[in-house]
Amino acid sequence: MLEQRTLGVFLEAAKKLDAGFAGLPALEGSAAGIERVAEVLNATAERLQDNYPYFHPLYAGQMLKPPHAVARLAYALAMWINPNNHALDGGRATSAMEKEAVAEIAAMFGWKNFLGHLCGGGTMANLEALWVAGQLQPGKKILASEQAHYTHKRITGVLQLEFETVACDARGRMDIEALAKRVARGGVGTVVTTMGTTATGSVDPLPEILTLREKHGFRVHVDAAYGGYFALAENLQQDAARGFSRIGEADSIVIDPHKHGLQPYGCGCVLFRDSGVGRLYKHDSPYTYFSSAELHLGEISLECSRPGAAAAALWATQKLLPLEKGGEFAMGLEQGRNAAVKLFEKVRADSRFVAAFAPELDIVVFAPRAGTVTKSSLLTRKIFEAAAERNLHLAVAELPILFWEGNLGAMGRDRDTIACLRSVLMKPEHYDWVERIWELLSASTQEVLDRSH
């Protein structure tokens, strides 16, 4: 059931907002078509039913986490004003809220003096970070792991920067030996370090990358769009914990509040350790920056118009659930990771499956055991479909068999990649639903195996 209990609270808040403008002359009239709003809104609700139940724990496929109720309500409340956080006169209150909320995110990594802002999502945030990197290290290459998000290659193409990938190890992390050999040859300006790949949740070896930076002088950009909030979690494995504890030593950081931060799309965030990079954004806009001598967010962003409602939603969420270790928000992250570990142990103990590596965050990847990798990949897609018929929604990913190499046994290696099942257990509720998820997954798998014999 969709959460509706807070609608009465929203109505009271809307009245409070309206009271702030009581001094204005009365405004008569109404929006065009207002008499048919109910009709069209109901039609909209019917169309929206044609969606997977992203909000439900039985949806454990893609990286979709429902916004917190306070984020939905604060966003909607701000939409009555519809502020634009490009310039202070277009979003006076929400610009201040954005600065406060972004400072709280930066504080997770120990930053007090920095430059940062919200943007449309991880893609735009990474574009800004790599744009700055290209300005500061012109003519030098951008490196990222083979499992880094595909947008890095796209972004560097848009920016006309040279780009190379670095091989991964058997756990989906950047291979530090391969990186060391590449940077030793020179010509590298920036190394993108992924703290939580979107395929497997793998965490690149940031401490070792920082050591290489000391010797070779490249920039370190941390793409923590997916995993950044795990800096607050206290139940990570040792390697991951070491990496997250040193994110503050990076030159730039990207994090997506619309992933683990309980926000609606699109809400990304880019941070720079050196606030002096703001000079690179300098531009003239004589008709938007007239109302204040204070730095406008539009003067440190490649985007122009940006929704102030996104800032209001993030600010409200972080006031309700502060970004602190041991807090309610952090415990939600830990529950998601606990759920992933719990599901992984079930998969590893079942002879019908072949597991990859243990999850570093909250993503589990596994495949059905078969005579060959090709046969396993075919079974994967059939299990995916059988599970969906039981309202269990997983995802299918195509990944290197290297990630399974130690567990494949006698399975024929007739392909370099394997189509596997991927489960993202990012909702705190997933922990209490692991048994039900396993029950449905097991039944779906057995059905497919019985049909295949």
Side-chain angles (χ1 to χ4, degrees), residues 56-58 331-332 334-340 342-343 346 425-439:
H56 198 280
L58 288 181
M331 288 190 289
E334 293 166 359
Q335 276 294 77
R337 169 159 165 71
N338 288 338
K342 189 176 178 181
L343 180 61
K346 288 181 176 295
L425 301 174
M426 66 191 302
K427 306 178 185 77
E429 299 85 358
H430 272 137
Y431 184 79
D432 294 327
W433 282 75
V434 169
E435 296 298 335
R436 179 62 174 156
I437 289 170
W438 177 250
E439 175 188 326

Side-chain angles (χ1 to χ4, degrees), residues 24 29-30 66 74 77 112 119 133 143 165 188 193 219 238 251 265 271 296 317 338 345 362 375 408 419:
L24 291 171
S30 61
L77 193 65
K112 294 182 179 178
C119 48
L143 302 186
T165 58
V188 175
T193 305
R219 288 176 63 83
Q238 184 176 3
D251 296 288
Y265 292 108
L271 305 167
H296 294 244
T317 305
N338 288 338
E345 293 298 339
D362 53 9
K375 290 179 180 178
L408 289 179

Side-chain angles (χ1 to χ4, degrees), residues 237 337-351 353 355-359 364-366 425 434-435 438:
Q237 294 174 324
R337 169 159 165 71
N338 288 338
V341 171
K342 189 176 178 181
L343 180 61
F344 172 78
E345 293 298 339
K346 288 181 176 295
V347 168
R348 184 166 62 173
D350 193 303
S351 61
F353 296 105
F357 41 81
V364 186
V365 290
F366 53 97
L425 301 174
V434 169
E435 296 298 335
W438 177 250

Side-chain angles (χ1 to χ4, degrees), residues 29-282:
S30 61
I34 193 71
E35 68 280 354
R36 293 185 58 231
V37 165
E39 173 194 339
V40 173
L41 198 58
N42 280 309
T44 304
E46 289 182 11
R47 291 297 298 268
L48 289 174
Q49 289 174 358
D50 183 22
N51 271 301
Y52 293 110
Y54 306 123
F55 54 88
H56 198 280
L58 288 181
Y59 186 86
Q62 304 297 343
M63 295 169 168
L64 294 163
K65 190 172 188 174
H68 193 281
V70 75
R72 293 195 300 266
L73 298 173
Y75 196 106
L77 193 65
M79 286 303 298
W80 258 255
I81 307 292
N82 196 25
N84 180 353
N85 273 21
H86 176 65
L88 290 179
D89 52 301
R92 192 164 57 186
T94 50
S95 290
M97 295 165 94
E98 177 172 338
K99 291 177 182 180
E100 292 175 31
V102 169
E104 289 167 355
I105 291 174
M108 286 198 302
F109 309 114
W111 288 4
K112 294 182 179 178
N113 300 310
F114 66 95
L115 189 79
H117 60 85
L118 299 181
C119 48
T123 300
M124 192 65 200
N126 278 308
L127 187 146
E128 292 210 17
L130 295 185
W131 174 73
V132 167
Q135 296 287 304
L136 296 177
Q137 299 269 24
K140 293 191 174 183
K141 290 190 174 181
I142 309 290
L143 302 186
S145 85
E146 291 176 339
Q147 287 295 308
H149 200 279
Y150 65 85
T151 54
H152 290 292
K153 185 176 182 179
R154 280 187 180 177
I155 288 166
T156 51
V158 170
L159 296 172
Q160 298 186 334
L161 301 172
E162 292 192 62
F163 176 80
E164 283 185 26
T165 58
V166 179
C168 285
D169 63 19
R171 290 171 59 188
R173 307 170 303 177
M174 183 182 286
D175 187 313
I176 197 65
E177 291 185 9
L179 176 64
K181 291 177 182 178
R182 177 59 191 88
V183 296
R185 299 203 308 268
V188 175
T190 300
V191 174
V192 177
T193 305
T194 306
M195 305 301 284
T197 62
T198 52
T200 62
S202 299
V203 178
D204 282 347
L206 179 57
E208 290 79 6
I209 293 171
L210 291 169
T211 298
L212 287 174
R213 180 181 68 177
E214 293 176 10
K215 182 177 181 180
H216 298 283
F218 52 78
R219 288 176 63 83
V220 172
H221 169 56
V222 165
D223 181 1
Y226 184 71
Y229 285 101
F230 279 93
L232 301 175
E234 299 182 284
N235 63 341
L236 301 179
Q237 294 174 324
Q238 184 176 3
D239 286 349
R242 284 177 57 238
F244 278 98
S245 71
R246 298 189 65 182
I247 288 180
E249 297 175 50
D251 296 288
S252 54
I253 304 168
V254 159
I255 187 169
D256 267 3
H258 68 213
K259 289 192 173 73
H260 281 103
L262 303 173
Q263 298 307 295
Y265 292 108
C267 185
C269 180
V270 61
L271 305 167
F272 298 97
R273 184 156 54 107
D274 176 14
S275 61
V277 302
R279 70 186 185 279
L280 301 173
Y281 289 90
K282 184 174 175 58

